[in-house]
Amino acid sequence: MIIAIDGPAASGKGTLAKAVAAHCGLAHLDSGLLYRGVAKGLIDRGLALEDEAAATEIAAQLDLSMLDAAALRGAAMGEAASRIAAHASVRAALVDLQRSFARQPGGAVIDGRDIGTAICPDADVKLFITASSEERARRRWRELVLGGAPLDYDTVLADIRRRDERDSTRSASPLRQASDAVLIDTTRLDAQAALSAALAIIGEKRARREPADLTPRARRGES
Ligand code: DC
């Protein structure tokens, strides 16, 4: 089973994707790490984020097992990732890696911006996770305060709005809800409630698939 989870920054999609993967016993890929990894590769080499050719080369050589999530966290790297993610050739260089991950035996949960629309348009379940920009900024602001690197709320809100705008207006695979994705608005949901909502949708999709695909007779190829 392939589960695609998309949504804007700080919508709760990452936490949700991790919890869904653990609950369903599936592998999980946070595709944002790929774009963050490319951005860090450019920064480490002293190259400009606008250098599309270099970014594409780094993307083509990216090794999932070498990505250090802790080193890629943070608002500055998220902003840099959003900028290089607008390059169509960088996105193209990352497609096969994400699709191979999705096609592993048993399937996978992948979260990002374009998983349901461009990377896995045939995913079994597509979720689009959102929340108001004010609530997402409040969550991000709290994380920063708890992490000992406070920023004022208005700055965090402006950053979130700028990133939303860039991610959803770029021409290459912009952030948008797939027509067959189910929307979960987490503005008033905690992580547990969001997980329950997602599991209910996944359970429903599974039940709908089972009579056709998974009956013992169908499995034996009998009609
Ligand atoms: O999910 P995140 O905050 O780690 O993502 C960082 C940036 O990477 C995001 O602002 C846009 C880009 N991104 C993307 O364009 N497509 C994806 N599937 C995932 C992330």
Side-chain angles (χ1 to χ4, degrees):
M1 165 170 265
I2 297 175
I3 302 178
I5 303 185
D6 291 304
S11 56
K13 67 181 187 315
T15 305
L16 178 66
K18 236 179 262 160
V20 165
H23 189 275
C24 299
L26 295 172
H28 167 235
L29 174 64
D30 166 2
S31 65
L33 283 183
L34 307 179
Y35 296 91
R36 287 171 182 258
V38 174
K40 185 162 189 306
L42 284 172
I43 293 165
D44 288 351
R45 291 167 177 77
L47 297 170
L49 296 173
E50 289 69 33
D51 190 339
E52 183 167 355
T56 306
E57 208 178 307
I58 293 170
Q61 287 164 10
L62 210 65
D63 178 349
L64 262 187
S65 65
M66 300 297 285
L67 292 176
D68 174 3
L72 297 172
R73 253 187 233 123
M77 202 55 77
E79 174 70 15
S82 168
R83 286 172 58 190
I84 62 97
H87 300 314
S89 61
V90 170
R91 305 196 71 80
L94 294 171
V95 168
D96 286 350
L97 197 158
Q98 294 173 85
R99 288 192 180 148
S100 320
F101 190 93
R103 284 198 210 106
Q104 65 186 281
V109 179
I110 308 191
D111 69 90
R113 304 290 191 288
D114 62 340
I115 310 303
T117 52
I119 302 296
C120 301
D122 298 326
D124 301 282
V125 181
K126 297 182 189 178
L127 302 175
F128 192 84
I129 314 304
T130 193
S132 69
S133 49
E134 292 81 5
E135 173 58 21
R136 290 185 286 122
R138 201 186 57 78
R139 289 174 191 165
R140 205 24 72 78
W141 174 82
R142 238 185 51 201
E143 272 171 26
L144 292 169
V145 170
L146 292 175
L151 263 183
D152 70 280
Y153 171 83
D154 288 337
T155 304
V156 178
L157 179 60
D159 286 351
I160 288 231
R161 287 189 168 146
R162 191 175 53 245
R163 193 124 76 92
D164 284 356
E165 168 78 8
R166 187 187 300 112
D167 291 347
S168 52
T169 58
R170 67 180 177 225
S171 55
S173 308
L175 164 69
R176 65 177 172 80
Q177 183 179 346
S179 57
D180 51 350
V182 181
L183 178 75
I184 300 178
D185 186 329
T186 67
T187 305
R188 289 189 183 78
L189 299 182
D190 63 16
Q192 188 53 49
L195 176 61
S196 301
L199 293 178
I201 294 159
I202 294 164
E204 211 177 283
K205 296 265 180 195
R206 253 189 188 151
R208 242 187 271 156
R209 252 178 22 149
E210 270 169 16
D213 305 349
L214 299 172
T215 60
R217 281 163 65 89
R219 256 188 243 125
R220 289 197 299 270
E222 297 167 14
S223 54

